[in-house]
Amino acid sequence: MPCAGPVVLVGEQRLHVALLALVGERDHGVVLLLARAVLRAVERLLRLETLLAVEGLALQQERVLRGLLLELQGVVFLLLQVLRLQPERLLLGHGLQALDLRLCALADGVLLGLERVLLVLDVLLKLAVRDFLLLLLDLFFQLLAVVVVLFVLEGFLQAAQGGVTTLCTGPGSSNVIGGTFAAFKPMGACIDDMCIKPEAAMKCAFGENPKRNYGARKQTPATRMGLAGILRETLFNAKNYSDKLKAAETDPSKAPEPNFQLNALVPVVRGQMRCRMHAHRSDDILTAISIAEEFGLDYVIEHCTEGYKIADVLNEKQVRCVIGPHLTAPSKMEIHGRSLDTPGILAKEPNMTVALTADTGSQTAVLPMTIGMLIRHGLSFEDALRGVTINPAKILQMEDRIGSLEPGKDADIAIFDGNLFDSMSLCRLVMIDGEIYKNTL
């Protein structure tokens, strides 16, 4: 095989997995195993990120870094070989009634990204250590983007198989303002076909995620006050920028200097785009609401983990919230107050709109079973059903198109062989936009 050289760099277990893939093992999971191996190698490299700030490197450190790059090169090479030989492996094994090979366009993007990563690795390994350290960040960004594509593709295929016909995804919560969400359906020839609302919301985050992300680097914001201050200042600047744009409509001389960051927030401060505000603790939730009211934002509370502590306030303010996840470990202090009772408590409030989430592509397919636990803890079946149908549609402001079975709406249907919130039930048929996506009836 032409890959004999790099193979020896990836270790016995990964060599075994890769060889199985290359000789035709019918297991689409091979691609994900290799992708996870890439991620592990990247994580180990990132632990050496502090070396970027050091002018001189000890010989042992240099050897370790080069060894990790070689290992990463081998894993990426094998992953690329698998996808080159059979790109449809990304799509097989999902029980699709008719494989939509148009999704292979995404696989083509993955191939191009991996080829670029290999070129960067090859250059790195030929340079002096000081030179190749300067290129590492470029490699990280490209490699992580490629692997994210792999996992997103896998995640929404699994979700669709589980009966999810519309998904909304967006940036994480490491930054105070993360960027825009997009809503899409897991069918189409390209992302433009899949996307049904490209600017579904703007992400903002409170609490420990952005605080520890910047605090660990001794940067602002390192406190909750710092988070609120940065968000208020940015929104204030965005409001001024928006006002100048409005004034320029009648007097072009008043047009401000172009600012792409503030321009992205113009629809937010004008109330034209909803703000998805990541907040777990009750005090963070109240801070988010206070800032939203100060600037007249149309907002949704994301997670709302301790919302049960302030249910009366949330009801009075007619808050919309997306609650979850519930299957993750208590990895940080702000979610130690998480309760399976929260959805049931908040759904009983007459003025609130409650949706439910798994908060990750890999668990969205089993969200119905998770909701079964929430029903056991006080959530009614009707509120549970609304929490994954019409209420998310209302939060996305797309209830005129999705979220219920009515004349004129999209023909998105999922049929289960029992109570959809029962772990013993399976989704047997999925229809998206009137087309059969899956049928095991």
Side-chain angles (χ1 to χ4, degrees):
M1 297 180 186
C3 59
V7 164
V8 298
L9 303 172
V10 301
E12 183 178 349
Q13 289 183 339
R14 272 173 272 179
L15 170 60
H16 176 68
V17 170
L19 287 175
L20 284 177
L22 293 172
V23 299
E25 174 69 29
R26 304 301 293 177
D27 181 8
H28 79 288
V30 162
V31 173
L32 292 181
L33 285 173
L34 287 170
R36 290 187 178 104
V38 172
L39 277 181
R40 283 196 297 271
V42 172
E43 287 169 357
R44 291 167 65 190
L45 279 168
L46 287 173
R47 292 192 191 105
L48 297 176
E49 185 182 6
T50 53
L51 296 179
L52 290 168
V54 180
E55 289 188 9
L57 294 174
L59 182 60
Q60 185 176 1
Q61 290 175 320
E62 181 179 342
R63 285 174 177 170
V64 169
L65 194 55
R66 286 189 180 276
L68 287 171
L69 286 170
L70 286 168
E71 179 180 355
L72 183 58
Q73 185 184 42
V75 177
V76 171
F77 183 88
L78 290 171
L79 179 57
L80 186 57
Q81 291 302 309
V82 172
L83 293 176
R84 276 176 177 159
L85 290 174
Q86 292 179 304
E88 68 274 11
R89 280 187 183 282
L90 283 169
L91 311 171
L92 293 175
H94 294 277
L96 300 177
Q97 183 184 17
L99 182 64
D100 187 358
L101 290 177
R102 293 174 298 175
L103 285 174
C104 281
L106 290 179
D108 291 339
V110 173
L111 289 176
L112 291 174
L114 286 173
E115 288 169 353
R116 168 65 176 155
V117 168
L118 275 182
L119 287 174
V120 174
L121 279 167
D122 186 57
V123 171
L124 288 176
L125 290 168
K126 292 177 181 176
L127 293 176
V129 63
R130 286 193 180 90
D131 295 326
F132 81 63
L133 282 176
L134 297 176
L135 295 177
L136 275 178
L137 287 179
D138 176 62
L139 169 66
F140 292 154
F141 290 140
Q142 295 200 44
L143 186 55
L144 288 173
V146 167
V147 177
V148 163
V149 171
L150 285 171
F151 283 110
V152 166
L153 180 58
E154 176 73 5
F156 69 64
L157 283 172
Q158 289 179 348
Q161 289 293 299
V164 179
T165 57
T166 301
L167 304 101
C168 181
T169 189
S173 48
S174 292
N175 298 294
V176 181
I177 301 176
T180 55
F181 275 61
F184 60 93
K185 295 192 179 187
M187 286 187 73
C190 63
I191 194 63
D192 290 336
D193 295 334
M194 299 175 187
C195 193
I196 57 176
K197 192 169 187 179
E199 296 182 346
M202 178 65 69
K203 176 67 175 285
C204 299
F206 297 81
E208 292 179 27
N209 284 13
K211 185 166 70 75
R212 68 185 177 186
N213 178 37
Y214 289 92
R217 292 181 278 171
K218 301 187 183 305
Q219 296 176 353
T220 301
T223 65
R224 281 178 159 81
M225 284 190 296
L227 291 173
I230 285 178
L231 181 57
R232 291 184 68 242
E233 180 181 1
T234 306
L235 290 172
F236 180 84
N237 292 337
K239 179 67 168 60
N240 283 341
Y241 185 77
S242 172
D243 291 344
K244 291 177 181 177
L245 289 176
K246 187 69 79 173
E249 292 176 3
T250 54
D251 184 358
S253 67
K254 295 181 179 179
E257 286 293 320
N259 186 314
F260 289 111
Q261 291 181 330
L262 293 179
N263 196 65
L265 292 172
V266 167
V268 176
V269 296
R270 290 181 179 179
Q272 299 167 348
M273 181 190 293
R274 279 194 174 155
C275 219
R276 301 282 287 260
M277 308 183 101
H278 164 109
H280 289 282
R281 264 175 30 180
S282 56
D283 57 342
D284 287 331
I285 296 170
L286 293 174
T287 299
I289 293 173
S290 175
I291 294 175
E293 290 180 343
E294 177 183 1
F295 290 93
L297 306 183
D298 186 357
Y299 67 96
V300 177
I301 299 298
E302 201 82 2
H303 305 304
C304 205
T305 303
E306 290 187 353
Y308 63 91
K309 296 182 178 181
I310 50 173
D312 55 340
V313 177
L314 300 182
N315 180 62
E316 178 186 347
K317 296 182 178 296
Q318 302 182 25
V319 168
R320 308 174 190 89
C321 63
V322 181
I323 305 177
H326 292 92
L327 294 183
T328 58
S331 57
K332 49 188 177 178
M333 290 296 295
E334 65 184 2
I335 61 173
H336 284 194
R338 181 173 55 192
S339 170
L340 293 174
D341 298 332
T342 302
I345 292 171
L346 297 186
K348 290 184 176 70
E349 298 293 338
N351 298 320
M352 291 190 66
T353 302
V354 175
L356 303 168
T357 182
D359 198 45
T360 170
S362 61
Q363 293 182 8
T364 299
V366 297
L367 177 60
M369 290 181 281
T370 307
I371 295 173
M373 296 190 301
L374 303 179
I375 292 174
R376 181 66 182 84
H377 283 260
L379 181 66
S380 72
F381 179 86
E382 292 75 16
D383 284 333
L385 195 58
R386 281 190 283 267
V388 291
T389 54
I390 192 63
N391 283 355
K394 289 178 178 178
I395 286 173
L396 291 174
Q397 297 172 293
M398 299 188 68
E399 65 270 26
D400 61 331
R401 178 174 174 181
I402 59 175
S404 60
L405 296 177
E406 300 178 53
K409 287 193 175 185
D410 293 358
D412 297 342
I413 299 172
I415 297 177
F416 293 74
D417 59 8
N419 184 333
L420 74 158
F421 301 128
D422 188 333
S423 61
M424 300 299 289
S425 300
L426 287 175
C427 180
R428 295 296 188 181
L429 183 143
V430 179
M431 177 185 290
I432 301 176
D433 288 335
E435 295 184 24
I436 299 296
Y437 184 87
K438 167 189 175 180
N439 186 2
T440 59
L441 289 173

